[in-house]
Amino acid sequence: MSLLVGKGDTIHFSENILDFTDGTLDATKLTISWKQMGRTRTETYIRCRFTVTSSERKDGQLFIQASKLQALIDKQDRDGPMIAVKVGDDFQFGQNQGRTERFLVFHDKNNKPYQHRFVEQLLVVLGDQAIDWARNMGFEGIESIRNKAADIIGEYLRDF
């Protein structure tokens, strides 16, 4: 069984996502900017942690386009204080080159930001709290982000 979250898995995340403005680590607001077709695009995303409970435990970061939050909530099944959503074709993912870490993105799939935009912005907003996650994604330290980002420019989010 894969240790990476995949299509068909049910992810669980805190209902605190509904109040993402409180600044807690359960949910963090990020502004992601990128160039697409020669124009600068910007979207607000909400970041939270998710888990998958199966025979092997998986977890990761979930990025939800703020204007799509209600659409994701509408897909939910309640699991106590957790929201449970099945990963399907409406999700995309980013992963490190070693394919050992994966994050999920729920957004308008016409948006085409590179994967590293999410990693970079999370470091800017959360600083030290995001460094471990960034290291797992292949970024050894803040000083290497520019170098690593240059290596993956053109690496779009992937479909399942």
Side-chain angles (χ1 to χ4, degrees):
M1 173 169 274
S2 172
L3 293 177
L4 297 176
V5 63
K7 185 176 179 180
D9 284 337
T10 298
I11 60 173
H12 304 265
F13 53 95
S14 173
E15 67 184 5
N16 290 344
I17 191 78
L18 300 174
D19 183 23
F20 65 88
T21 58
D22 67 0
T24 68
L25 289 181
D26 287 340
T28 305
K29 192 159 115 174
L30 305 170
T31 301
I32 307 292
S33 297
W34 70 97
K35 293 259 186 201
Q36 186 171 323
M37 299 188 68
R39 300 179 68 182
T40 299
R41 304 278 308 269
T42 302
E43 287 287 349
T44 300
Y45 286 80
I46 303 158
R47 192 268 330 166
C48 68
R49 295 206 45 80
F50 71 83
T51 59
V52 177
T53 305
S54 59
S55 60
E56 295 183 21
R57 189 170 179 88
K58 308 170 195 178
D59 64 353
Q61 305 286 329
L62 170 63
F63 297 88
I64 307 160
Q65 183 178 331
S67 61
K68 297 283 190 182
L69 178 60
Q70 190 59 52
L72 182 62
I73 297 304
D74 290 345
K75 295 172 55 74
Q76 75 171 312
D77 292 320
R78 276 292 182 187
D79 186 13
M82 302 296 281
I83 295 172
V85 176
K86 191 171 198 174
V87 176
D89 291 330
D90 45 357
F91 284 84
Q92 290 186 302
F93 68 91
Q95 65 187 15
N96 63 357
Q97 291 181 350
R99 297 181 182 176
T100 59
E101 294 287 326
R102 181 175 285 172
F103 64 91
L104 296 176
V105 181
F106 185 85
H107 68 154
D108 178 346
K109 289 172 72 172
N110 290 315
N111 290 343
K112 302 292 183 195
Y114 294 128
Q115 293 181 32
H116 74 272
R117 298 290 183 201
F118 294 90
V119 177
E120 289 175 339
Q121 190 59 29
L122 192 59
L123 284 172
V124 168
V125 171
L126 296 180
D128 292 340
Q129 298 167 4
I131 289 174
D132 286 340
W133 181 71
R135 284 187 179 131
N136 288 333
M137 292 301 294
F139 295 91
E140 296 304 319
I142 293 175
E143 64 279 352
S144 71
I145 289 178
R146 284 186 296 277
N147 297 335
K148 286 286 190 176
D151 291 342
I152 63 172
I153 285 179
E155 190 72 32
Y156 291 108
L157 295 167
R158 300 174 188 192
D159 291 320
F160 284 103

